[in-house]
């Protein structure tokens, strides 16, 4: 008792007579934080209530400045005109009005001699031709990408086959389809007409082989190894393993990859058409050279409408292939069969036989 009294009375951290109600806790905190080292100078010891030190943002700010400097250097290094960028909003408004006037022109749909009706028919016909070119290119890519994907999969081929196949596919992916069209296909098949459409289809097909094969090989490498081991254990060969163990797992994703590539090829066919490879791109190049902004607006509307329709159909098919029937439809069907009521819980206790099957015991 005397020790405690002497500590509070004559200690180094004596409580003042007029101290407030929180001074005791503050003095005890000060006594814990204030220590003296060997030289007798007080040192600070942080407690649990100290906030962590905010990290420095020097590196983050330096990275932002570096990105900005590189962007400005690339802008001026490429010879871009800042004045054209500033005039862009006014130009968009001007040319947008001209194209809108062309789109909303009235025409007689029953009169085949109406020029505006002919513009719309010509635009949608050319866009359908672009869809056909994209479809042919996707089919070509799909036919070659499936076997190439298996050859490029690490779990399906030996190292002597895997490395050369991957190298060839990397070369094909490195060359854009527009280079295939300019350097190889258009000189072979010609510009415009049926030859240009064939050149565009083969350019899209060869370019699709590289991308599709890589994606399919990744899908094959990601399959479950259990069915593969089961086929091997039952004595199946490589082809039987691919047919019964790999394809059932990878085929839904492969079909989804093919459909997605078809969507990409539709957009790419429009670009190839500007070079004379047929389709909507050829028509767009013609009306743009004539600066017929009303017809350009009609062509752009045809591109947007057909592309959206094809994308929605492709997305629906891909969803059904990957996820099956709609879950919401299944639930509604189950609710209709059961009148929307949940089944009654079993009344039997765990560990007891069902009540309707308990045998009568004679007394």
């Amino acid at each position: 008792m005397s020790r405690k009294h002497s500590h509070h009375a004559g200690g180094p951290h004596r409580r003042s007579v007029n101290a407030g109600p929180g001074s005791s806790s503050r003095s005890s905190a000060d006594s814990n934080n204030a220590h003296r080292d060997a030289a007798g100078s007080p040192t600070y010891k942080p407690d649990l209530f100290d906030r962590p030190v905010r990290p420095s943002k020097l590196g983050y700010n330096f990275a932002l400045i570096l990105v900005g400097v590189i962007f400005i250097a690339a802008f001026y290094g490429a010879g871009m005109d800042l004045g054209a960028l500033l005039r862009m909003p006014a130009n968009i408004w001007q040319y947008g009005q001209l194209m809108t006037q062309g789109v909303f022109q009235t025409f007689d749909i029953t009169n085949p001699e109406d020029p505006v009706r002919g513009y719309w028919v010509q635009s949608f016909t050319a866009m359908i031709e672009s869809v056909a070119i994209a479809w042919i290119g996707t089919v070509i890519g799909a036919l070659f990408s499936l076997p190439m994907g298996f050859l490029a999969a690490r779990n399906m081929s030996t190292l002597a086959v895997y490395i050369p196949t991957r190298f060839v596919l990397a070369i094909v992916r490195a060359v854009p389809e527009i280079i295939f069209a300019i350097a190889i296909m258009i000189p072979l098949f010609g510009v415009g007409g049926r030859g240009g459409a064939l050149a565009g289809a083969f350019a899209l097909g060869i370019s699709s082989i590289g991308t599709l094969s890589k994606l399919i090989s990744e899908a094959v490498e990601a399959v479950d190894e259990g069915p593969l081991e089961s086929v091997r254990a039952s004595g199946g060969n490589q082809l039987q393993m691919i047919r019964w163990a790999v394809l059932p797992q990878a085929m839904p994703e492969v079909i989804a990859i093919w459909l997605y590539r078809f969507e990409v090829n539709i957009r790419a066919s429009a670009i190839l058409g500007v070079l004379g490879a047929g389709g909507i791109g050829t028509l767009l190049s013609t009306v743009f050279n004539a600066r017929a902004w009303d017809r350009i607006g009609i062509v752009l509307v045809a591109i947007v409408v057909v592309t959206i329709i094809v994308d929605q159909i492709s997305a629906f098919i891909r969803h059904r292939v990957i996820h099956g029937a709609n879950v919401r439809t299944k639930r509604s069907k189950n609710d209709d069969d059961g009148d929307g009521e949940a089944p009654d819980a079993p009344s039997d206790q765990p560990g007891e036989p069902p009540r309707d099957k308990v045998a009568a015991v004679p007394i």
Side-chain angles (χ1 to χ4, degrees), residues 10-24:
H13 302 285
R14 187 168 49 191
R15 181 180 177 184
S16 175
V17 177
N18 297 326
S23 61
S24 176

Side-chain angles (χ1 to χ4, degrees), residues 145-317:
S145 64
L146 189 61
M148 294 292 289
F150 279 95
L151 294 177
R154 187 65 187 91
N155 57 344
M156 289 289 111
S157 58
T158 61
L159 198 62
V161 177
Y162 168 79
I163 294 179
T165 305
R166 285 276 186 169
F167 180 73
V168 172
L169 294 178
I171 295 176
V172 175
R173 288 196 309 271
V175 182
E177 58 267 4
I178 191 172
I179 303 299
F180 279 118
I182 295 175
I184 302 176
M185 300 304 167
I186 290 181
L188 290 178
F189 298 103
V191 179
R194 297 183 178 181
L198 191 61
F202 272 89
L204 292 176
I206 295 177
S207 179
S208 299
I209 293 174
T211 304
L212 292 176
S213 300
K214 182 178 186 299
L215 296 176
I216 291 174
S217 66
E218 294 176 353
V220 171
E221 290 175 352
V223 298
D224 186 12
E225 292 291 335
L228 277 69
E229 295 177 358
S230 300
V231 174
R232 294 192 191 100
S234 60
N237 54 26
Q238 186 77 2
L239 293 179
Q240 291 173 339
M241 181 178 63
I242 293 175
R243 170 63 184 87
W244 301 108
V246 180
L247 285 179
Q249 299 185 67
M251 209 58 198
E253 188 173 354
V254 169
I255 295 176
I257 292 171
W258 286 343
L259 292 174
Y260 178 73
R261 183 64 190 185
F262 174 55
E263 300 174 15
V264 175
N265 285 342
I266 291 177
R267 300 172 179 86
S269 64
I271 300 174
L272 294 180
V274 177
L275 304 174
I280 193 68
T282 302
L283 177 61
L284 183 60
S285 177
T286 303
V287 297
F288 183 78
N289 292 332
R291 295 299 189 271
W293 296 104
D294 54 344
R295 296 190 61 184
I296 291 176
I298 295 174
V299 171
L300 293 180
V301 170
I303 293 174
V304 171
V305 170
V306 175
T307 303
I308 290 176
I309 293 174
V310 173
D311 285 354
Q312 293 301 316
I313 296 174
S314 176
F316 174 76
I317 297 175

Side-chain angles (χ1 to χ4, degrees), residues 319-340:
H319 183 272
R320 289 298 299 265
V321 168
I322 295 177
H323 303 287
N326 197 348
V327 179
R328 190 172 298 175
T329 305
K330 289 184 178 180
R331 289 180 178 176
S332 62
K333 186 182 294 186
N334 294 334
D335 292 341
D336 294 339
D337 295 340
D339 295 333

